[in-house]
Amino acid sequence: MGSGNPVVRRNLADAALAVVVGALVVTTAAFDADTAPVDYAFIAVSSAALAFYRTAPRAVLAVATVAGGAYVVHAHPGPLAALPVLAAVHTASRAGHRGYAAGAGAAFLAAYVATGPTTEEVAEKAALLAGWFLCAVVTGLADRNWQAYLRQTEQRALEAERTREEAALRRAGEERLRIARELHDSLTHSISIVKLQAGVAVHLARKRGEEVPPALLAIQDASGEAMRELRATLEILRTDEPTGTPALLVERARAAGLAVELTVTGEERPLPATVDRAVYRIVQEALTNAARHAGPAKVNVQLAYDKADLTIRVEDDGTADPARPPTPGVGLTGMRERVAALGGTLDAAPRTEGGFAVRARLPLGETG
């Protein structure tokens, strides 16, 4: 394990903190002629404990306070003797133990005050050290809050990046589906007509006993081959279609922090592939929009199965206002195209009681 390992670097930094604090206090104690060997032992214990503040902040606080208090009671040193305890108070407060930190600071202050020979000197030392300990607690809390803020910012950045990637993948999938639909509508129709006309011409020629022109047979074969290749191309374009269920989307949204519930009514049954893909995309887009624009809202996803159709409702109680309807974006436009291609209806607009609602009705007959 080399020094490039982050755990090793962290441990070395903690040990360096303990050494520096101990060296400062020992240097100050060396100028005091009354310092005894036991005092150096107290300093060493209280300082060395700081090397373990990450793993056991409360234990470090207790050891530093007891050893530091014993040192000041025995040797009556100057204010710098409080440095190991100040560091322990700061690190304990940073770890969230501000009550323990404040109590340890008060206990050490009580021990230090008891060493003062005069009332004036006691008051001066107590005021100075009280300020130091207050700063240690406050800076520890501030550092803790700052670290929490940095972690939250990092998580938001990661979530934003993931959302951008999902949006890009969704747009690419929608573009593939649009190309596939247009190819299906235009090329398939035209090639089918060519193949049909060639087949009719071949049939009539044979019926009249005439020799079928080789060019006509080539056209018939080529059009059939073109149809097969076109179908294969369309399948490739559809390979990135989603796999999953609305229930899975709801679970993912909950894991991301969205308050969402799923309700299914009617007789749930397998859906045609085109309808199943459309249901997935509609629920996915509606939940994505709710997560982005609704604020801290509750979302309800409803799937109502009927004999002839399926109704999808995704409603939230967020910040959408009927007086300011949103401009339809790529997602809503894509939903409308999917629903229209299946012969269904879609309504997406702010609710009169507040929030936003997406309501889609899809016929359950096979569509092709």
Side-chain angles (χ1 to χ4, degrees), residues 76-91:
H76 311 295
L80 198 61
L83 195 56
V85 186
L86 280 170
V89 166
H90 172 81
T91 55

Side-chain angles (χ1 to χ4, degrees), residues 22-46:
L24 288 173
V25 180
V26 166
T27 301
T28 305
F31 288 98
D32 189 349
D34 296 333
T35 304
V38 69
D39 298 322
Y40 288 109
F42 287 141
I43 295 172
V45 171
S46 62

Side-chain angles (χ1 to χ4, degrees), residues 216-349:
L216 197 58
L217 292 174
I219 291 173
Q220 187 181 33
D221 292 340
S223 59
E225 181 64 23
M227 286 287 292
R228 287 189 292 273
E229 290 184 359
L230 181 59
R231 290 194 185 99
T233 302
L234 297 180
E235 287 302 317
I236 292 173
L237 288 171
R238 293 176 182 272
T239 53
D240 238 6
E241 281 296 290
T243 56
T245 62
L248 179 61
L249 290 172
V250 168
E251 288 301 322
R252 289 176 181 170
R254 285 177 185 159
L258 191 64
V260 55
E261 295 293 334
L262 173 64
T263 305
V264 180
T265 59
E267 182 184 350
E268 189 173 2
R269 55 192 182 276
L271 301 174
T274 51
V275 177
D276 193 45
R277 286 192 293 265
V279 172
Y280 184 96
R281 286 302 193 195
I282 290 169
V283 174
Q284 182 185 49
E285 181 64 30
L287 289 176
T288 300
N289 288 339
R292 289 180 179 175
H293 307 300
K298 294 181 180 178
V299 185
N300 187 19
V301 179
Q302 302 175 25
L303 301 179
Y305 288 83
D306 203 350
K307 291 183 179 180
D309 54 40
L310 168 65
T311 302
I312 307 159
R313 293 174 180 265
V314 183
E315 301 177 340
D316 65 68
D317 57 358
T319 57
D321 186 353
R324 297 190 302 273
T327 303
V330 175
L332 285 178
T333 302
M335 276 199 286
R336 291 191 188 280
E337 290 177 353
R338 288 178 184 276
V339 172
L342 296 173
T345 58
L346 176 76
D347 179 28

Side-chain angles (χ1 to χ4, degrees), residues 1-18 50-54:
M1 184 181 295
S3 59
N5 189 296
V7 176
V8 173
R9 290 200 305 269
R10 187 182 65 187
N11 292 339
L12 289 175
D14 296 345
L17 170 67
L50 296 176
F52 306 97
Y53 77 88
R54 294 182 192 270

